[in-house]
PDB file of all heavy atoms in Angstrom:
ATOM      1  N   ALA A  90     -54.811 -32.590 -33.632  1.00 94.00           N
ATOM      2  CA  ALA A  90     -56.058 -32.930 -32.942  1.00 94.00           C
ATOM      3  C   ALA A  90     -56.257 -34.434 -32.886  1.00 94.00           C
ATOM      4  O   ALA A  90     -56.690 -34.976 -31.864  1.00 94.00           O
ATOM      5  CB  ALA A  90     -57.235 -32.261 -33.645  1.00 94.00           C
ATOM      6  N   LEU A  91     -55.939 -35.127 -33.979  1.00 96.00           N
ATOM      7  CA  LEU A  91     -56.089 -36.583 -34.012  1.00 96.00           C
ATOM      8  C   LEU A  91     -55.207 -37.241 -32.955  1.00 96.00           C
ATOM      9  O   LEU A  91     -55.656 -38.137 -32.220  1.00 96.00           O
ATOM     10  CB  LEU A  91     -55.731 -37.105 -35.407  1.00 96.00           C
ATOM     11  CG  LEU A  91     -55.806 -38.620 -35.603  1.00 96.00           C
ATOM     12  CD1 LEU A  91     -57.228 -39.126 -35.403  1.00 96.00           C
ATOM     13  CD2 LEU A  91     -55.290 -38.996 -36.988  1.00 96.00           C
ATOM     14  N   LEU A  92     -53.959 -36.803 -32.857  1.00 95.00           N
ATOM     15  CA  LEU A  92     -53.054 -37.370 -31.861  1.00 95.00           C
ATOM     16  C   LEU A  92     -53.502 -37.003 -30.444  1.00 95.00           C
ATOM     17  O   LEU A  92     -53.334 -37.789 -29.508  1.00 95.00           O
ATOM     18  CB  LEU A  92     -51.632 -36.894 -32.123  1.00 95.00           C
ATOM     19  CG  LEU A  92     -51.019 -37.381 -33.443  1.00 95.00           C
ATOM     20  CD1 LEU A  92     -49.649 -36.754 -33.668  1.00 95.00           C
ATOM     21  CD2 LEU A  92     -50.907 -38.905 -33.473  1.00 95.00           C
ATOM     22  N   ASP A  93     -54.068 -35.814 -30.289  1.00 94.00           N
ATOM     23  CA  ASP A  93     -54.567 -35.406 -28.967  1.00 94.00           C
ATOM     24  C   ASP A  93     -55.730 -36.271 -28.504  1.00 94.00           C
ATOM     25  O   ASP A  93     -55.952 -36.437 -27.292  1.00 94.00           O
ATOM     26  CB  ASP A  93     -55.004 -33.938 -28.990  1.00 94.00           C
ATOM     27  CG  ASP A  93     -53.833 -32.975 -28.896  1.00 94.00           C
ATOM     28  OD1 ASP A  93     -52.721 -33.432 -28.568  1.00 94.00           O
ATOM     29  OD2 ASP A  93     -54.024 -31.772 -29.155  1.00 94.00           O
ATOM     30  N   LEU A  94     -56.503 -36.807 -29.463  1.00 95.00           N
ATOM     31  CA  LEU A  94     -57.647 -37.636 -29.087  1.00 95.00           C
ATOM     32  C   LEU A  94     -57.220 -38.818 -28.225  1.00 95.00           C
ATOM     33  O   LEU A  94     -57.934 -39.215 -27.310  1.00 95.00           O
ATOM     34  CB  LEU A  94     -58.374 -38.147 -30.340  1.00 95.00           C
ATOM     35  CG  LEU A  94     -59.112 -37.118 -31.195  1.00 95.00           C
ATOM     36  CD1 LEU A  94     -59.805 -37.819 -32.352  1.00 95.00           C
ATOM     37  CD2 LEU A  94     -60.106 -36.323 -30.369  1.00 95.00           C
ATOM     38  N   ASP A  95     -56.052 -39.376 -28.536  1.00 94.00           N
ATOM     39  CA  ASP A  95     -55.583 -40.527 -27.777  1.00 94.00           C
ATOM     40  C   ASP A  95     -55.360 -40.156 -26.315  1.00 94.00           C
ATOM     41  O   ASP A  95     -55.810 -40.844 -25.398  1.00 94.00           O
ATOM     42  CB  ASP A  95     -54.289 -41.046 -28.403  1.00 94.00           C
ATOM     43  CG  ASP A  95     -53.953 -42.450 -27.944  1.00 94.00           C
ATOM     44  OD1 ASP A  95     -54.831 -43.114 -27.363  1.00 94.00           O
ATOM     45  OD2 ASP A  95     -52.814 -42.889 -28.167  1.00 94.00           O
ATOM     46  N   GLN A  96     -54.658 -39.049 -26.088  1.00 92.00           N
ATOM     47  CA  GLN A  96     -54.384 -38.622 -24.714  1.00 92.00           C
ATOM     48  C   GLN A  96     -55.652 -38.212 -23.982  1.00 92.00           C
ATOM     49  O   GLN A  96     -55.862 -38.564 -22.812  1.00 92.00           O
ATOM     50  CB  GLN A  96     -53.394 -37.461 -24.720  1.00 92.00           C
ATOM     51  CG  GLN A  96     -53.050 -36.926 -23.336  1.00 92.00           C
ATOM     52  CD  GLN A  96     -52.038 -35.795 -23.387  1.00 92.00           C
ATOM     53  OE1 GLN A  96     -51.465 -35.508 -24.436  1.00 92.00           O
ATOM     54  NE2 GLN A  96     -51.832 -35.138 -22.253  1.00 92.00           N
ATOM     55  N   LEU A  97     -56.513 -37.462 -24.669  1.00 92.00           N
ATOM     56  CA  LEU A  97     -57.751 -37.018 -24.035  1.00 92.00           C
ATOM     57  C   LEU A  97     -58.643 -38.197 -23.666  1.00 92.00           C
ATOM     58  O   LEU A  97     -59.236 -38.232 -22.585  1.00 92.00           O
ATOM     59  CB  LEU A  97     -58.496 -36.068 -24.978  1.00 92.00           C
ATOM     60  CG  LEU A  97     -57.812 -34.733 -25.277  1.00 92.00           C
ATOM     61  CD1 LEU A  97     -58.529 -34.013 -26.423  1.00 92.00           C
ATOM     62  CD2 LEU A  97     -57.782 -33.857 -24.038  1.00 92.00           C
ATOM     63  N   ALA A  98     -58.743 -39.163 -24.587  1.00 94.00           N
ATOM     64  CA  ALA A  98     -59.573 -40.327 -24.322  1.00 94.00           C
ATOM     65  C   ALA A  98     -59.009 -41.150 -23.165  1.00 94.00           C
ATOM     66  O   ALA A  98     -59.767 -41.664 -22.328  1.00 94.00           O
ATOM     67  CB  ALA A  98     -59.676 -41.190 -25.581  1.00 94.00           C
ATOM     68  N   THR A  99     -57.705 -41.278 -23.111  1.00 92.00           N
ATOM     69  CA  THR A  99     -57.084 -42.022 -22.013  1.00 92.00           C
ATOM     70  C   THR A  99     -57.361 -41.350 -20.671  1.00 92.00           C
ATOM     71  O   THR A  99     -57.667 -42.016 -19.669  1.00 92.00           O
ATOM     72  CB  THR A  99     -55.571 -42.134 -22.244  1.00 92.00           C
ATOM     73  OG1 THR A  99     -55.331 -42.847 -23.466  1.00 92.00           O
ATOM     74  CG2 THR A  99     -54.894 -42.863 -21.089  1.00 92.00           C
ATOM     75  N   GLU A 100     -57.276 -40.032 -20.644  1.00 88.00           N
ATOM     76  CA  GLU A 100     -57.539 -39.308 -19.402  1.00 88.00           C
ATOM     77  C   GLU A 100     -58.998 -39.448 -18.985  1.00 88.00           C
ATOM     78  O   GLU A 100     -59.308 -39.647 -17.806  1.00 88.00           O
ATOM     79  CB  GLU A 100     -57.168 -37.839 -19.557  1.00 88.00           C
ATOM     80  CG  GLU A 100     -57.286 -37.039 -18.271  1.00 88.00           C
ATOM     81  CD  GLU A 100     -56.783 -35.618 -18.400  1.00 88.00           C
ATOM     82  OE1 GLU A 100     -56.189 -35.282 -19.447  1.00 88.00           O
ATOM     83  OE2 GLU A 100     -57.007 -34.825 -17.458  1.00 88.00           O
ATOM     84  N   LEU A 101     -59.894 -39.361 -19.965  1.00 89.00           N
ATOM     85  CA  LEU A 101     -61.312 -39.537 -19.650  1.00 89.00           C
ATOM     86  C   LEU A 101     -61.589 -40.934 -19.100  1.00 89.00           C
ATOM     87  O   LEU A 101     -62.326 -41.104 -18.127  1.00 89.00           O
ATOM     88  CB  LEU A 101     -62.158 -39.303 -20.903  1.00 89.00           C
ATOM     89  CG  LEU A 101     -62.771 -37.923 -21.097  1.00 89.00           C
ATOM     90  CD1 LEU A 101     -63.494 -37.859 -22.424  1.00 89.00           C
ATOM     91  CD2 LEU A 101     -63.725 -37.593 -19.965  1.00 89.00           C
ATOM     92  N   SER A 102     -60.998 -41.935 -19.733  1.00 88.00           N
ATOM     93  CA  SER A 102     -61.213 -43.304 -19.297  1.00 88.00           C
ATOM     94  C   SER A 102     -60.696 -43.517 -17.882  1.00 88.00           C
ATOM     95  O   SER A 102     -61.315 -44.216 -17.074  1.00 88.00           O
ATOM     96  CB  SER A 102     -60.523 -44.270 -20.266  1.00 88.00           C
ATOM     97  OG  SER A 102     -60.755 -45.602 -19.903  1.00 88.00           O
ATOM     98  N   ALA A 103     -59.555 -42.902 -17.584  1.00 85.00           N
ATOM     99  CA  ALA A 103     -58.979 -43.043 -16.249  1.00 85.00           C
ATOM    100  C   ALA A 103     -59.866 -42.413 -15.186  1.00 85.00           C
ATOM    101  O   ALA A 103     -59.903 -42.874 -14.041  1.00 85.00           O
ATOM    102  CB  ALA A 103     -57.592 -42.416 -16.221  1.00 85.00           C
ATOM    103  N   ARG A 104     -60.582 -41.353 -15.536  1.00 78.00           N
ATOM    104  CA  ARG A 104     -61.453 -40.691 -14.575  1.00 78.00           C
ATOM    105  C   ARG A 104     -62.764 -41.432 -14.366  1.00 78.00           C
ATOM    106  O   ARG A 104     -63.453 -41.232 -13.369  1.00 78.00           O
ATOM    107  CB  ARG A 104     -61.784 -39.275 -15.049  1.00 78.00           C
ATOM    108  CG  ARG A 104     -60.622 -38.302 -14.979  1.00 78.00           C
ATOM    109  CD  ARG A 104     -61.137 -36.918 -15.269  1.00 78.00           C
ATOM    110  NE  ARG A 104     -60.078 -35.924 -15.304  1.00 78.00           N
ATOM    111  CZ  ARG A 104     -60.295 -34.623 -15.459  1.00 78.00           C
ATOM    112  NH1 ARG A 104     -61.532 -34.172 -15.596  1.00 78.00           N
ATOM    113  NH2 ARG A 104     -59.289 -33.777 -15.488  1.00 78.00           N
ATOM    114  N   SER A 105     -63.115 -42.263 -15.346  1.00 72.00           N
ATOM    115  CA  SER A 105     -64.420 -42.913 -15.303  1.00 72.00           C
ATOM    116  C   SER A 105     -64.481 -43.914 -14.165  1.00 72.00           C
ATOM    117  O   SER A 105     -63.544 -44.650 -13.900  1.00 72.00           O
ATOM    118  CB  SER A 105     -64.689 -43.621 -16.633  1.00 72.00           C
ATOM    119  OG  SER A 105     -65.857 -44.394 -16.556  1.00 72.00           O
ATOM    120  N   ASP A 106     -65.631 -43.968 -13.498  1.00 52.00           N
ATOM    121  CA  ASP A 106     -65.807 -44.965 -12.450  1.00 52.00           C
ATOM    122  C   ASP A 106     -66.584 -46.165 -12.956  1.00 52.00           C
ATOM    123  O   ASP A 106     -66.968 -47.045 -12.189  1.00 52.00           O
ATOM    124  CB  ASP A 106     -66.520 -44.364 -11.236  1.00 52.00           C
ATOM    125  CG  ASP A 106     -67.908 -43.846 -11.588  1.00 52.00           C
ATOM    126  OD1 ASP A 106     -68.270 -43.858 -12.782  1.00 52.00           O
ATOM    127  OD2 ASP A 106     -68.613 -43.420 -10.664  1.00 52.00           O
ATOM    128  N   GLY A 107     -66.842 -46.195 -14.295  1.00 45.00           N
ATOM    129  CA  GLY A 107     -67.493 -47.361 -14.883  1.00 45.00           C
ATOM    130  C   GLY A 107     -66.449 -48.373 -15.294  1.00 45.00           C
ATOM    131  O   GLY A 107     -65.274 -48.240 -15.001  1.00 45.00           O
ATOM    132  N   HIS A 108     -66.901 -49.427 -15.952  1.00 42.00           N
ATOM    133  CA  HIS A 108     -65.953 -50.411 -16.450  1.00 42.00           C
ATOM    134  C   HIS A 108     -66.239 -50.665 -17.906  1.00 42.00           C
ATOM    135  O   HIS A 108     -67.350 -50.497 -18.385  1.00 42.00           O
ATOM    136  CB  HIS A 108     -66.036 -51.718 -15.657  1.00 42.00           C
ATOM    137  CG  HIS A 108     -67.342 -52.427 -15.831  1.00 42.00           C
ATOM    138  ND1 HIS A 108     -68.435 -52.145 -15.055  1.00 42.00           N
ATOM    139  CD2 HIS A 108     -67.731 -53.392 -16.693  1.00 42.00           C
ATOM    140  CE1 HIS A 108     -69.448 -52.915 -15.406  1.00 42.00           C
ATOM    141  NE2 HIS A 108     -69.047 -53.674 -16.408  1.00 42.00           N
ATOM    142  N   ARG A 109     -65.222 -51.109 -18.636  1.00 40.00           N
ATOM    143  CA  ARG A 109     -65.343 -51.338 -20.070  1.00 40.00           C
ATOM    144  C   ARG A 109     -65.272 -52.839 -20.326  1.00 40.00           C
ATOM    145  O   ARG A 109     -64.223 -53.455 -20.194  1.00 40.00           O
ATOM    146  CB  ARG A 109     -64.236 -50.616 -20.825  1.00 40.00           C
ATOM    147  CG  ARG A 109     -64.217 -49.127 -20.575  1.00 40.00           C
ATOM    148  CD  ARG A 109     -63.065 -48.478 -21.312  1.00 40.00           C
ATOM    149  NE  ARG A 109     -63.187 -48.664 -22.749  1.00 40.00           N
ATOM    150  CZ  ARG A 109     -63.971 -47.941 -23.535  1.00 40.00           C
ATOM    151  NH1 ARG A 109     -64.722 -46.976 -23.010  1.00 40.00           N
ATOM    152  NH2 ARG A 109     -64.026 -48.149 -24.833  1.00 40.00           N
TER     153      ARG A 109
END
Side-chain angles (χ1 to χ4, degrees):
L91 179 63
L92 295 175
D93 281 347
L94 292 182
D95 197 14
Q96 179 179 351
L97 294 169
T99 299
E100 185 174 352
L101 263 177
S102 182
R104 289 189 183 184
S105 172
D106 61 354
H108 66 274
R109 302 178 61 80

